[in-house]
């Protein structure tokens, strides 16, 4: 038979040719200047019809042996050929059949296939291709031309990949190896096959080659990286290749390869890496796991391939080693964000934060591994114990911020100024005990007297410091990645997500007790405290009850506080300016931070003066002696005296307002405002007012401050007003006896409606045409036992 090659007019790339080496020898010295070595080479990509890589399929098979006799010639003629149907599998090293009988009783190794061609002679079988082997020919007949071409390209690919694996498994001369790698890359780029494995298989071959070859020169390093660079444009590097890249970043941070080749790879990792966060916050640590959620999208993540994160981490450190240092890193982060106000890539920020957290954790890793020999934060605060007295596995407790606990250690005068040093491999913990004679601050049972909280604050607690001496390399890493967190916090669109990711305090306790770390991170917390958006500054508070947050950590007495309460006052100011002017927030301040609040008010801080006035106005403080202390504090400054006088005036007006008398029902005219309501309620007594209708007025959540002054209010109509979630939260804390509430056509959402669960007296609730969800509705029904009439029409719960 006459077998010839054919293009068949359907694809211009049926045969793959090996390209000659495109790069000359690397000539840059070990410490050569950037730009000395070309890092890109021209590569022609395939443009034409694409095919899916076949792994298996049904096809007709005919085997023709080379004729040696006249009879064999007759038997191999086209009229006497026998075709067998087979389900063939294209394995890694051979072509096998699911039914090993007849022609395919034995598998056909790719090494035995001499050539793969398309049949083109006259009267040849349709849609057929031939595999040439030493003893004859195998004919494969497909159902149509597309399947024939798909089989052709798939067999070509499998055969060549098998050859490259074999050739590169035993490298002898590196110039030959480099040429083969370039040819392998070009074959993958010019292949008409469209499959993830087309680009991944060459990367895995090179990765295995590098993992087994440890004696490579720097020149060979860079040559291999440049050779495989085109494949990395749209593919993640395998784990072993990431390790190779990490090594190059560490050894040659100023290499041009880092800038030109690694930059697009890291950008792709940060933009397309799929991950989501699961937070496990316990007493010992805050553990963040990066879990794969994108398998169906063929995406890799830091949980599945942690070396991707390590490579990104080493790349950023390499940028930091350049002459411009952090300026280069800053430009890189800006390139990831983009020039617009909003970053178009939602995965960039969480991936960058994950890299920063892992890098910061690594700085303290050695100390963390020897944690049994290190003090807990509670010990650091109260004075470090001797190692023999310390219990192992002390649970993490950031800080008890109750002022009563500030001076709970009672020491003798002869133990003053003692220093205890606990030594770990790289960490020296020095705790200075300044044991000023303190009294235990306990409220006497049956006695209303409480200790003077200002005196408690002014008496210095145990002056505790933790000096962590990191290695110079760890110091550079810490400085770099804390600076990146600062840069991230400067982007307005990233700040909400960044605050949410950092809200659970995902840092080891050693970092939180390290003065250098907390001092540098203070800038990020300050940015959160200055942001007027509630979703940002609300993340200063703890993620759940019973856990400390940044608010507690940077408040006076907290392990991270290094000022006299300026940041604490800033945080309180922004929280009070939003919807946190509530009893719950004030109660937590009174229980945990009353001493710092009084001290700052004594120094004239207006926000703290307002806090103390609100505590008195809302009856947060029940103890008479503490109330007198607060009043004395207010009267000690001009601003406090003025605001206290205003409070007294409001209290007199409130008494007049709540005095029995006045109407029991009241309806405001349409288009009335918050100011109109306040003016009306200040005109007389409304102690008997039980039914108030503000329907179709222009009142907002701000009028809630006036509504909570009505002691007998039972029914409230807010139909078609601008009353929102913030107002509902205030009402739910003060009007607990409200029975009827109409919120029809108001802008309230689930966030505010959930607060109504504390109003146990509600028996009628109208949420018609609001943003009520079905889940919130079910929650309200479960928590409001007296609720009988509910209107949820035109909502999700309808």
């Amino acid at each position: 038979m006459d077998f010839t090659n054919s293009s068949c007019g359907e694809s211009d790339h049926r045969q793959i040719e090996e390209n000659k080496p495109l790069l000359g020898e690397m000539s840059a010295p070990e410490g050569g200047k950037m730009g000395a070595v070309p890092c890109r080479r021209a590569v022609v990509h395939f443009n034409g019809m694409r095919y899916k890589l076949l792994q298996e399929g049904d096809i007709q098979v005919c085997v023709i042996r080379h004729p040696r006799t006249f009879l064999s010639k007759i038997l191999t003629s086209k009229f006497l050929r026998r075709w067998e149907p087979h389900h063939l599998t294209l394995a890694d090293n051979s072509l096998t059949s699911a039914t090993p009988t007849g022609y395919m009783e034995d598998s056909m190794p790719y090494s035995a296939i001499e050539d793969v061609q398309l049949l083109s002679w006259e009267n040849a079988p349709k849609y057929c291709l031939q595999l040439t082997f030493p003893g004859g020919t195998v004919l494969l007949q497909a159902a149509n031309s597309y399947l024939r071409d798909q089989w052709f390209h798939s067999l070509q690919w499998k055969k060549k990949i098998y050859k490259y694996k074999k050739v590169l498994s035993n490298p002898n001369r590196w110039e030959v190896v480099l040429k083969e790698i370039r040819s392998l890359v070009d074959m993958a780029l010019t292949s008409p096959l469209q499959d993830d494995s087309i680009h991944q298989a060459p990367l895995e071959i090179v990765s295995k080659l590098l993992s087994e070859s440890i004696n490579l020169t720097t020149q060979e390093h860079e040559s291999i990286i440049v050779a495989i660079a085109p494949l990395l444009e749209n593919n993640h590097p395998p784990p072993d290749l990431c390790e190779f890249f990490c090594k190059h970043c560490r050894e040659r941070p100023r290499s041009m390869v880092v800038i030109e080749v690694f930059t697009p790879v890291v950008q792709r990792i940060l933009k397309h890496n799929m991950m989501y966060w699961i937070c496990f916050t316990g007493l010992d640590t805050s553990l963040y796991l990066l879990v794969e959620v994108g398998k169906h999208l063929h995406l890799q993540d830091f949980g599945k391939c942690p070396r991707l994160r390590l490579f990104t981490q080493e790349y950023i450190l390499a940028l930091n080693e350049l002459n411009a240092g952090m300026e280069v890193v800053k430009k890189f982060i800006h390139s990831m964000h983009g020039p617009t106000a909003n970053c178009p890539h939602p995965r960039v920020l969480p991936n960058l934060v994950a890299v920063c957290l892992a890098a910061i954790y690594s700085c303290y890793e050695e100390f963390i591994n020897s944690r049994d020999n290190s003090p807990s934060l509670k010990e650091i605060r109260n004075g470090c114990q001797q190692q023999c007295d310390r219990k192992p596995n002390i649970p993490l407790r950031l800080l008890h911020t109750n002022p009563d606990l500030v001076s709970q250690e009672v020491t003798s005068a002869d133990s003053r100024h003692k220093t205890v040093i606990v030594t770990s491999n790289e960490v020296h913990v020095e705790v200075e005990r300044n044991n000023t004679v303190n009294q235990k601050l306990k409220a006497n049972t049956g006695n209303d007297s409480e200790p003077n909280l200002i005196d408690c604050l002014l008496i210095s607690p145990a002056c505790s410091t933790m000096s962590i001496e990191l290695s110079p390399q760890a110091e550079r890493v810490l400085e770099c990645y804390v600076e990146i967190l600062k840069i991230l916090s400067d982007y307005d669109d990233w700040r909400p997500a960044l605050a949410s990711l950092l809200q659970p305090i995902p840092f080891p306790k050693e970092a939180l007790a390290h003065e250098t770390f907390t001092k540098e991170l203070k800038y990020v917390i300050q940015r959160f405290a200055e942001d007027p958006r509630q979703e940002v500054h609300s993340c200063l508070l703890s993620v759940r009850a019973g856990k400390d947050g940044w608010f507690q950590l940077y408040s006076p007495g907290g392990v991270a506080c290094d000022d006299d309460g300026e940041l604490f006052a800033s945080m309180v100011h922004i929280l009070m300016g939003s919807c946190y002017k509530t009893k719950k927030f004030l109660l937590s301040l009174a229980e945990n931070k009353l001493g710092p609040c009084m001290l700052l008010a004594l120094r004239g801080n207006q926000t703290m003066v307002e806090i103390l006035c609100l505590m008195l106005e809302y009856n947060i403080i029940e103890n008479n002696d503490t109330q007198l202390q607060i009043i004395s504090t207010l009267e000690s400054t001009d601003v406090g005296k003025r605001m206290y006088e205003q409070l007294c005036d409001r209290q007199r007006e409130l008494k007049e307002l709540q005095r029995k008398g006045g109407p029991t029902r009241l309806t405001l005219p349409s288009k009335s405002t918050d100011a109109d309501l306040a003016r009306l309620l200040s005109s007389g007594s409304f102690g008997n007012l039980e039914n108030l209708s503000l329907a179709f007025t222009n009142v907002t959540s701000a009028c809630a401050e006036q509504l909570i002054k009505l002691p007998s209010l039972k029914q409230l109509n807010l139909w078609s007003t601008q009353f929102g979630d913030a107002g509902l939260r205030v009402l739910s804390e003060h009007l607990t006896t409200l029975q009827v509430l109409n919120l029809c056509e108001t802008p309230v959402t689930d966030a505010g409606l959930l607060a109504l669960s504390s109003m146990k007296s509600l028996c009628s609730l109208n949420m018609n045409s609001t943003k009520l969800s079905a889940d919130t509705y079910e929650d309200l029904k479960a928590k409001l036992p007296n609720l009988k009439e509910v209107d949820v029409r035109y909502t999700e719960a309808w």
Side-chain angles (χ1 to χ4, degrees), residues 198-243:
I198 298 302
H199 289 170
Q200 283 297 327
L203 290 176
E204 290 173 358
I205 292 174
V206 175
S207 177
K208 182 179 179 181
L209 171 67
L210 294 174
S211 65
E212 296 173 353
S213 304
I214 59 176
N215 297 321
L216 293 179
T217 65
T218 301
Q219 179 179 327
E220 291 166 345
H221 269 206
E222 296 194 348
S223 299
I224 292 174
I225 293 173
V226 173
I228 63 176
L231 291 180
L232 298 172
E233 293 179 2
N234 298 307
N235 299 274
H236 287 318
D240 290 337
L241 204 55
C242 286
E243 185 66 30

Side-chain angles (χ1 to χ4, degrees), residues 2 74 120 126 130 160 206 233 358 367 399 477 484 528 532 581 600 651 656 674 686 745:
D2 183 17
I74 296 177
S120 63
K126 293 184 66 176
Q130 67 175 19
K160 288 181 177 293
V206 175
E233 293 179 2
F367 189 43
L399 187 64
V477 172
I484 290 177
F528 295 163
K581 194 182 292 183
L600 291 171
Q651 292 294 326
E656 179 63 25
D674 297 331
F686 291 91
E745 297 181 6

Side-chain angles (χ1 to χ4, degrees), residues 335-348:
S335 71
M336 297 304 306
H337 180 276
T340 59
N342 294 312
C343 178
H345 306 286
R347 298 171 190 160
V348 168

Side-chain angles (χ1 to χ4, degrees), residues 1 62-82 139:
M1 287 186 181
C62 178
V63 176
I64 303 175
R65 303 288 179 182
H66 288 316
R68 299 184 181 276
T69 63
F70 179 75
L71 179 61
S72 62
K73 288 184 179 181
I74 296 177
L75 293 177
T76 56
S77 64
K78 65 179 181 179
F79 302 105
L80 298 177
R81 287 178 193 149
R82 179 171 57 88
L139 301 181

Side-chain angles (χ1 to χ4, degrees), residues 64-296:
I64 303 175
R65 303 288 179 182
H66 288 316
R68 299 184 181 276
T69 63
F70 179 75
L71 179 61
S72 62
K73 288 184 179 181
I74 296 177
L75 293 177
T76 56
S77 64
K78 65 179 181 179
F79 302 105
L80 298 177
R81 287 178 193 149
R82 179 171 57 88
W83 293 87
E84 294 179 354
H86 282 274
H87 185 83
L88 299 185
T89 299
L90 283 76
D92 290 337
N93 52 10
S94 63
L95 185 66
T96 60
S97 173
T99 56
T101 58
Y103 292 142
M104 297 302 297
E105 182 176 1
D106 298 323
S107 61
M108 179 180 294
Y110 297 134
S111 58
I113 300 176
E114 297 177 349
D115 195 10
V116 181
Q117 295 178 327
L118 297 171
L119 293 186
S120 63
W121 71 81
E122 187 178 356
N123 298 325
K126 293 184 66 176
Y127 316 131
C128 202
L129 57 94
Q130 67 175 19
L131 311 181
T132 304
F133 64 97
T137 300
V138 176
L139 301 181
L140 302 180
Q141 188 174 36
N144 52 57
S145 61
Y146 181 85
L147 283 177
R148 177 200 61 192
D149 291 346
Q150 190 177 16
W151 274 97
F152 173 78
H153 291 298
S154 299
L155 282 167
Q156 283 272 29
W157 172 259
K158 289 286 187 179
K159 180 177 179 296
K160 288 181 177 293
I161 280 293
Y162 175 78
K163 183 201 77 170
Y164 280 114
K165 285 182 179 179
K166 189 174 181 180
V167 170
L168 295 177
S169 61
N170 297 308
N172 294 321
R173 297 172 54 196
W174 272 102
E175 58 271 16
V176 176
V177 170
L178 184 60
K179 177 183 176 182
E180 294 294 338
I181 291 175
R182 290 171 180 166
S183 300
L184 174 62
V185 171
D186 292 343
M187 182 192 74
L189 294 175
T190 56
S191 173
L193 295 173
Q194 191 171 17
D195 192 86
D196 292 337
S197 62
I198 298 302
H199 289 170
Q200 283 297 327
L203 290 176
E204 290 173 358
I205 292 174
V206 175
S207 177
K208 182 179 179 181
L209 171 67
L210 294 174
S211 65
E212 296 173 353
S213 304
I214 59 176
N215 297 321
L216 293 179
T217 65
T218 301
Q219 179 179 327
E220 291 166 345
H221 269 206
E222 296 194 348
S223 299
I224 292 174
I225 293 173
V226 173
I228 63 176
L231 291 180
L232 298 172
E233 293 179 2
N234 298 307
N235 299 274
H236 287 318
D240 290 337
L241 204 55
C242 286
E243 185 66 30
F244 176 72
F245 290 168
C246 290
K247 180 180 178 182
H248 190 81
C249 287
R250 287 191 296 266
E251 296 179 353
R252 293 291 309 277
R254 296 174 179 268
S255 168
M256 200 61 187
V257 168
V258 174
I259 300 296
E260 291 198 3
V261 178
F262 289 168
T263 297
V265 179
V266 174
Q267 286 177 335
R268 186 181 187 279
I269 291 173
L270 293 175
K271 289 178 181 179
H272 301 286
N273 192 46
M274 175 65 75
M275 53 181 278
Y276 90 89
W277 297 67
I278 297 180
C279 178
F280 298 93
T281 52
L283 289 176
D284 291 308
T285 187
S286 294
L287 176 63
Y288 272 76
L289 299 180
L290 307 178
V291 182
E292 176 190 7
V293 294
K295 282 186 177 179
H296 63 288

Side-chain angles (χ1 to χ4, degrees), residues 511-575:
L512 300 176
H514 187 194
E515 183 180 359
T516 302
F517 172 75
T518 54
K519 186 175 181 180
E520 293 298 321
L521 193 66
K522 183 179 179 180
Y523 176 86
V524 179
I525 307 305
Q526 184 71 48
R527 296 293 287 163
F528 295 163
E530 294 171 353
D531 198 301
R533 291 170 292 183
Q534 181 187 342
E535 64 267 29
V536 177
H537 59 247
S538 63
C539 293
L540 295 171
L541 300 176
S542 59
V543 71
R544 70 169 186 268
K547 288 291 293 182
D548 290 330
W550 296 113
F551 180 76
Q552 287 80 16
L553 206 63
Y554 279 91
S555 60
V559 293
C561 183
D562 62 349
D563 54 25
D564 291 331
E566 288 82 1
L567 178 57
F568 172 68
S570 177
M571 291 189 289
V572 172
H573 175 75
I574 195 68
L575 291 171

